[in-house]
Amino acid sequence: MDKPKILDKFIQLLSDSEDTLRAAGQAFSLIGPSLNISQIILDLNIPETRQTPTGEVRHLTVYLGEMASDEVTEIVWLEESTRTFENGVITAHVYAPIETNWSSDERQLLQSAVKIFLIHMDRYRLIELVQKSSMTQYLTGLPNSGGFIAFATKKMFAGEIKNYNSYYFNLKGFGLINRRFGSEETDNIIRRYARTLLEFCKEDETIGHLGGDNFVALIRKERTGDFLKLLEKTEVFGIRDGERLPVHISAVAGVYDIDDSLKAPGQIIGRSSIACSVARSLANEPFLFVTKEMSTRVYREKQIEDRFEDGLLNNEFKVYYQPKVDTKTHTLVGAEALSRWLCKGEYVYPAEFVPILEKNSYSIGLDIYVMEDVCKTIRHWIDKGIEPVPVSVNFSRSDLAEEHLADQILEITKKYNVDLKYIQIEVTETATQKEKGLIADFLNKLNGMHIASSIDDFGTGYSSLGILRDLPVSTIKIDKSFIDNDTLTKRDEIVLKNIIQMAKELDIEVITEGVERQDQIEFLQNVGCDLVQGFYYDKPLSLEEFEERLKNKNYVI
């Protein structure tokens, strides 16, 4: 046996391949048969580190010789180990029949070959780790979105993807866990949870971590029930003050039963995330399967989001004006500016696009756009000799976190030299104490700038009477729900009359919206509210229609 030549060839085979494990089988074939080697097993035992957050334990068959058989009694004749860069251990076990008798040269050759292999193996692992890191979430070691999509893409190309359900799941109450254990131990809890998920996962399945408390998974359809049970409640542990405490983790999940409608790998995450979002909005739904209606709705939302910026730039949003009328004189006394979106020849109405813009914090762009358009129009009317009426412009509650919003509004009125008596800023009554604070700050700033303000949908939100007491509003707009009943009762009258009386005593103007019938007009006059807005007098009017109405402010009823 020419030892130098064999080792040279052995090294060449390992060096020429990027896949050290595959090349090792060929390399050991150079010496395995002559030494009667049954098999070579590689054990990897890698601790939990930043590079491998969940650790790694693998047992790999590197070489399988002709002597390997259940009938052959074999033992480990040679064992070599090396430490990895993250202080783990890689050990090679060389098995041969019990009657094997190597010479010292043969043993030395084998020992040299194994040591060379372990050096290459350490290099291979380092390269593997670098490649893996781009596809791995750093905290848990699970695939990130790129790694998850790569796995899904392989399954699509193999024609196997319809064997799976896709999951997007969000962990419930993780803010509470963070406050209880602190951020460092919470990270450890997430790692332990990730390890539990991995223990459930089979080799042909995958679970990914998108960051934070958001995860994704591809699990075979026959295991759906078991996986949903795992997501419903999983116990791990956290350590606080040296004490090990149980932590129960539950997830809200969206599930996409993958079918023929799947066209692109990205839809695997997108569709299940749709159902997860819906499930999160329903307190008693731990999981929901994707439906066609969900997909259609979210596709429409995505269209609106993607088109919105271009819509603003191209002036696709048109401002309409709904008159406010004094029912005693049937005279036009004001208007509310409402936006309509003419998108690719089709009108999109606020009921559809406003909630989407608010959810994504895009609404401030539209509200500033409308504010500017209104001021420009008022300036145009004045220059033409047409006497304007005050116009109220809506601002979403989601806008109010913008610290300088009131300053922006004032700057726009100055830009067009519009008297502040023609402008009123309208915000919707809030449903939460936190939002009430934002509204209070905003209205106080407007009040300090002598800009009139109005509360929309009065009577539907948080502590309505407190608004009369605490907020410096000029107008309250009574919600249409107060007058919507087919028959208006004495109780309706008493409640509304007292609200209106209190408002007037506080020098707050009152207007009622959604007025459509003569009996509603009479009822409102009886309780002391003469100002109304609604289809009884006019629908929202285009700029041209409203301009004609301004020229003759009297309604003939």
Side-chain angles (χ1 to χ4, degrees):
M1 183 181 290
D2 191 336
K3 177 182 171 184
K5 285 186 178 180
I6 290 176
L7 280 180
D8 285 346
K9 183 65 173 173
F10 185 90
I11 293 169
Q12 189 69 42
L13 284 169
L14 291 177
S15 301
D16 287 347
S17 175
E18 293 184 1
D19 189 342
T20 299
L21 282 172
R22 187 177 61 187
Q26 294 177 279
F28 278 112
S29 294
L30 298 172
I31 55 178
S34 61
L35 298 181
N36 291 332
I37 295 172
S38 317
Q39 57 182 328
I40 299 174
I41 303 296
L42 191 70
D43 285 345
L44 286 85
N45 196 338
I46 310 301
E48 294 181 15
T49 66
R50 190 173 184 83
Q51 291 80 20
T52 51
T54 56
E56 183 179 8
V57 176
R58 281 197 281 175
H59 306 282
L60 306 169
T61 300
V62 175
Y63 170 78
L64 194 62
E66 294 178 2
M67 299 295 296
S69 169
D70 292 339
E71 299 175 2
V72 176
T73 304
E74 56 183 19
I75 60 171
V76 176
W77 278 95
L78 183 71
E79 185 175 278
E80 288 286 342
S81 296
T82 185
R83 286 219 166 259
T84 68
F85 60 90
E86 69 266 78
N87 205 30
V89 178
I90 302 178
T91 304
H93 308 277
V94 180
Y95 289 82
I98 195 168
E99 65 273 10
T100 299
N101 185 19
W102 294 324
S103 68
S104 60
D105 283 347
E106 288 173 329
R107 176 175 284 275
Q108 190 177 19
L109 170 65
L110 179 58
Q111 199 165 24
S112 297
V114 170
K115 286 180 177 179
I116 291 167
F117 163 65
L118 289 176
I119 291 170
H120 278 265
M121 191 63 207
D122 205 27
R123 182 204 66 171
Y124 166 73
R125 280 205 65 258
L126 186 57
I127 294 170
E128 183 184 49
L129 191 62
V130 170
Q131 293 172 337
K132 183 182 176 184
S133 65
S134 66
M135 297 290 217
T136 302
Q137 209 283 333
Y138 76 96
L139 178 63
T140 57
L142 296 177
N144 58 18
S145 59
F148 180 82
I149 291 296
F151 179 92
T153 301
K154 287 181 182 177
K155 292 298 177 183
M156 283 188 72
F157 286 153
E160 300 172 2
I161 195 67
K162 287 193 291 182
N163 298 329
Y164 294 83
N165 280 338
S166 168
Y167 300 79
Y168 187 109
F169 54 103
N170 175 264
L171 309 186
K172 294 197 290 188
F174 236 77
L176 296 174
I177 294 174
N178 192 50
R179 286 195 289 274
R180 183 183 177 196
F181 289 94
S183 59
E184 185 175 344
E185 183 58 18
T186 298
D187 285 348
N188 291 331
I189 290 168
I190 290 180
R191 290 189 189 99
R192 292 174 196 127
Y193 180 70
R195 193 177 302 116
T196 301
L197 296 176
L198 278 176
E199 288 169 359
F200 175 89
C201 201
K202 293 189 174 181
E203 283 189 12
D204 61 345
E205 299 170 334
T206 189
I207 295 176
H209 183 197
L210 304 184
D213 52 7
N214 295 303
F215 292 77
V216 287
L218 272 175
I219 304 296
R220 295 187 70 86
K221 289 183 178 180
E222 63 267 23
R223 304 211 311 141
T224 298
D226 292 337
F227 190 59
L228 288 174
K229 187 175 180 181
L230 178 72
L231 296 184
E232 186 177 357
K233 190 173 185 181
T234 299
E235 183 177 317
V236 292
F237 68 88
I239 297 174
R240 189 178 65 178
D241 300 328
E243 184 181 0
R244 177 169 165 156
L245 302 171
V247 178
H248 296 99
I249 298 177
S250 297
V252 178
V255 191
Y256 169 37
D257 186 347
I258 298 174
D259 56 19
D260 290 327
S261 67
L262 180 70
K263 303 301 179 188
Q267 293 175 324
I268 292 171
I269 293 179
R271 292 185 178 180
S272 53
S273 70
I274 294 168
C276 183
S277 296
V278 176
R280 287 180 64 184
S281 67
L282 303 173
N284 296 320
E285 294 293 345
F287 64 88
L288 281 178
F289 279 78
V290 174
T291 64
K292 184 177 180 180
E293 290 74 20
M294 282 183 201
S295 298
T296 301
R297 189 190 73 196
V298 172
Y299 175 71
R300 179 63 169 167
E301 286 185 7
K302 189 73 167 59
Q303 278 187 314
I304 289 172
E305 289 173 21
D306 292 345
R307 182 66 191 153
F308 172 66
E309 292 291 345
D310 286 340
L312 284 183
L313 290 173
N314 298 330
N315 295 314
E316 294 176 1
F317 289 89
K318 307 301 177 185
V319 177
Y320 277 58
Y321 295 82
Q322 184 164 30
K324 298 175 182 178
V325 179
D326 185 332
T327 62
K328 290 290 189 186
T329 62
H330 305 296
T331 302
L332 175 70
V333 294
E336 179 182 3
L338 301 167
S339 56
R340 299 287 185 266
W341 186 2
L342 185 59
C343 181
K344 297 183 177 179
E346 173 194 2
Y347 271 106
V348 185
Y349 288 92
E352 182 177 10
F353 66 76
V354 168
I356 297 167
L357 299 182
E358 287 182 337
K359 184 172 69 174
N360 295 284
S361 300
Y362 291 165
S363 56
I364 190 168
L366 176 60
D367 295 341
I368 290 293
Y369 173 96
V370 172
M371 178 71 195
E372 182 137 2
D373 194 86
V374 165
C375 286
K376 187 191 303 181
T377 298
I378 291 174
R379 179 75 263 156
H380 173 71
W381 288 333
I382 293 171
D383 292 343
K384 284 178 65 175
I386 300 172
E387 177 62 25
V389 291
V391 178
S392 61
V393 180
N394 289 283
F395 279 81
S396 167
R397 290 198 298 262
S398 64
D399 301 346
L400 304 187
E402 170 54 52
E403 184 180 355
H404 301 294
L405 179 59
D407 298 308
Q408 288 180 265
I409 291 169
L410 184 61
E411 283 302 312
I412 293 170
T413 64
K414 289 179 178 179
K415 177 180 176 181
Y416 294 98
N417 191 25
V418 170
D419 194 312
L420 294 180
K421 70 180 182 181
Y422 293 124
I423 291 295
Q424 187 175 70
I425 303 303
E426 193 166 306
V427 293
T428 302
E429 184 179 352
T430 179
T432 70
Q433 181 67 45
K434 178 183 176 182
E435 287 180 340
K436 184 184 176 185
L438 288 174
I439 288 179
D441 289 344
F442 177 60
L443 294 184
N444 278 312
K445 287 178 182 176
L446 292 178
N447 190 51
M449 296 171 177
H450 307 290
I451 299 174
S453 60
S454 172
I455 292 290
D456 195 12
D457 298 342
F458 184 85
T460 62
Y462 184 92
S463 187
S464 295
L465 295 181
I467 286 175
L468 296 179
R469 181 192 63 197
D470 300 333
L471 300 183
V473 295
S474 315
T475 303
I476 60 171
K477 186 181 285 186
I478 302 294
D479 187 69
K480 67 190 295 288
S481 60
F482 280 90
I483 58 167
D484 254 356
N485 294 334
D486 290 336
T487 304
L488 299 169
T489 67
K490 188 67 177 177
R491 293 176 70 89
D492 295 325
E493 182 179 337
I494 292 170
V495 170
L496 207 49
K497 181 181 289 186
N498 280 279
I499 290 173
I500 292 166
Q501 183 177 339
M502 281 189 290
K504 287 185 174 180
E505 288 179 7
L506 292 166
D507 200 26
I508 297 172
E509 183 181 71
V510 181
I511 184 169
T512 303
E513 62 183 340
V515 177
E516 299 176 356
R517 309 191 310 259
Q518 176 63 36
D519 65 308
Q520 291 173 330
I521 297 284
E522 294 168 359
F523 171 80
L524 289 169
Q525 287 177 338
N526 287 337
V527 297
C529 179
D530 298 327
L531 302 182
V532 302
Q533 177 183 339
F535 280 21
Y536 181 81
Y537 283 101
D538 253 327
K539 68 182 189 303
L541 304 174
S542 68
L543 174 59
E544 295 75 19
E545 291 171 325
F546 186 73
E547 193 170 295
E548 289 302 311
R549 173 60 67 190
L550 274 178
K551 294 174 183 177
N552 178 12
K553 297 182 174 65
N554 293 317
Y555 285 84
V556 179
I557 300 296

